[in-house]
Amino acid sequence: MEQLRALGYVDPGAGSSMWQIMLAGFFGVSARIKKFFLRRNSKDQED
């Protein structure tokens, strides 16, 4: 039986780091969208 050649090392904790990066991006974009709409609504109320 042949042994497979190692192509690289995958850190077991890398998956959780990717989830954290993805969630941070999602919440960052979400916060910007909310900020945009809140600012837009306050300008509409002033007019």
Side-chain angles (χ1 to χ4, degrees):
M1 184 169 196
E2 280 184 52
Q3 178 148 359
L4 297 175
R5 193 176 68 170
L7 299 176
Y9 173 73
V10 177
D11 182 23
S16 63
S17 298
M18 285 304 298
W19 275 114
Q20 289 176 5
I21 291 168
M22 289 171 37
L23 286 174
F26 171 76
F27 287 121
V29 169
S30 176
R32 287 183 186 182
I33 291 171
K34 287 179 186 177
K35 192 179 203 181
F36 171 77
F37 282 115
L38 287 174
R39 188 180 310 150
R40 187 171 146 193
N41 286 340
S42 67
K43 285 183 181 179
D44 289 344
Q45 290 177 358
E46 288 176 1
D47 292 338

